[in-house]
Amino acid sequence: MPSAKIAHLTDRALIRIAGEDAHHFLQNLVTADIEETDANGASSTALLTPQGKILFDFLIYRTSDGYLADAPSTAAADLLKRLTFYRLRAKVDLELLGADSGVFAVWDGPVEIKSALVAATDPRTPLLGQRIVAPVSALAGQTTASEADLEAYERHRIATGVPEGLKDYSYSDIFPHDADLDQLGGVSFTKGCYVGQEVVSRVQHRGTARKRFVLVEGGRALPEKGTPVTADGKSVGEIGSSITSETGESVGLALLRLDKVAQAKDNGSPLHCGDVEIAVRIPDWAGFSFPEKHVSD
């Protein structure tokens, strides 16, 4: 059995959300059901535009005095500003925490850290491992896990098939179903209204989600994010983040039209990303599949 690995996710930041109205405030704003966050300790979630597109994606944790939002560090200040905009007269305290509080990912086995403020199974899929929030200075010597770097975690995340905002797609560009948030526990279809809820519910109930992030594999390095994926010279989507192994083989995430990929497969047409021929695979955790018959526009 491989030993557990732990990585300090230095590209993540934390926002504290507390106060007597914190639960109600979040429940009416983000895509996750905060009742489930309270019960499970963590949720994947997003804040949407009124048109239903992802404005921010993040994880949210229940703590003893409220909640912590685990967001990309480059977007944390903007997320805080947007939360403040929606706060109005609600009794909610919002604070961007300093770098002394860190987000850690653990995989290939669990670990226990006594000083952890949060220790939860990653709410998107258990295949990702654990998510831990702890004081950075207090972490040394508290775990026997092998220390890994951010690149190692990115390899693990991409190989697991889980997309993230800014790394795989730009904000305000795609819908939650496109980013597989409905598959990764990030969207509730049973709670009340939230920003962008009508559009998301319409896609769910009509079953009109055609674009999905899936895994792509190539025999050599894949092109940069945003490069089109093509079949017979026509675009069927585009690549997100990718990694290349020491042997030169690559795996990445791509947002593709499943019906067009299925049609290419039926026709025996190879898929390419740039000049790299690729194979497409649906992640193990996913509940969707390629359509059996292509349905044209």
Side-chain angles (χ1 to χ4, degrees):
M1 292 289 290
S3 62
K5 299 178 181 64
I6 185 167
H8 181 192
L9 304 186
T10 53
D11 62 344
R12 307 293 291 188
L14 294 160
I15 297 173
R16 177 176 169 268
I17 305 165
E20 61 182 88
D21 293 339
H23 175 100
H24 181 75
F25 169 71
L26 290 169
Q27 184 74 326
N28 290 290
L29 186 61
V30 302
T31 57
D33 187 343
I34 303 303
E35 295 287 350
E36 294 185 5
T37 310
D38 292 347
N40 300 326
S43 292
S44 171
T45 194
L47 177 58
L48 309 182
T49 68
Q51 295 74 34
K53 292 187 176 181
I54 299 173
L55 190 58
F56 300 97
D57 69 322
F58 53 100
L59 303 183
I60 190 162
Y61 311 121
R62 186 73 171 97
T63 64
S64 59
D65 65 345
Y67 303 89
L68 288 174
D70 168 356
S73 57
T74 55
D78 289 336
L79 174 56
L80 176 61
K81 187 182 298 184
R82 185 54 62 115
L83 292 173
T84 302
F85 171 79
Y86 279 115
R87 179 174 56 183
L88 301 176
R89 296 182 180 179
K91 295 178 180 178
V92 176
D93 299 320
L94 300 168
E95 177 189 7
L96 181 61
L97 300 187
D100 54 331
S101 295
V103 178
F104 298 85
V106 177
W107 66 102
D108 288 346
V111 302
E112 183 177 347
I113 298 175
K114 293 180 180 179
S115 62
L117 303 175
V118 171
T121 300
D122 194 301
R124 294 169 291 184
T125 169
L127 296 174
L128 281 174
Q130 286 178 287
R131 207 75 167 191
I132 289 175
V133 176
V136 175
S137 61
L139 190 66
Q142 289 202 32
T143 173
T144 58
S146 301
E147 188 173 341
D149 59 16
L150 187 58
E151 182 180 356
Y153 175 72
E154 282 302 292
R155 289 178 178 275
H156 173 60
R157 178 187 68 83
I158 293 169
T160 305
V162 176
E164 287 186 354
L166 303 183
K167 295 176 181 177
D168 297 292
Y169 59 89
S170 299
Y171 285 154
S172 301
D173 274 3
I174 69 172
F175 298 99
H177 284 79
D178 298 342
D180 300 339
L181 272 176
D182 62 311
Q183 302 282 307
L184 294 165
V187 182
S188 171
F189 299 103
T190 58
K191 74 167 188 172
C193 293
Y194 51 86
V195 177
Q197 181 260 346
E198 289 185 6
V199 176
V200 177
S201 292
R202 191 180 310 128
V203 172
Q204 176 72 9
H205 294 303
R206 291 182 179 178
T208 54
R210 289 183 174 181
K211 292 190 294 183
R212 291 284 192 180
F213 267 101
V214 293
L215 283 160
V216 295
E217 299 166 339
R220 52 194 173 91
L222 293 165
E224 64 182 12
K225 173 188 170 186
T227 300
V229 174
T230 59
D232 294 324
K234 297 180 180 179
S235 176
V236 299
E238 63 181 42
I239 190 74
S241 57
S242 62
I243 53 172
T244 304
S245 69
E246 294 180 356
T247 60
E249 297 178 339
S250 289
V251 60
L253 293 163
L255 179 59
L256 305 181
R257 277 281 300 262
L258 298 184
D259 54 342
K260 293 186 180 298
V261 173
Q263 183 183 39
K265 287 177 175 289
D266 291 343
N267 294 339
S269 301
L271 295 167
H272 291 87
C273 184
D275 60 355
V276 181
E277 185 171 341
I278 60 171
V280 178
R281 180 166 59 87
I282 292 175
D284 293 340
W285 45 259
F288 59 85
S289 60
F290 292 112
E292 294 184 4
K293 292 183 180 180
H294 170 71
V295 179
S296 60
D297 291 329

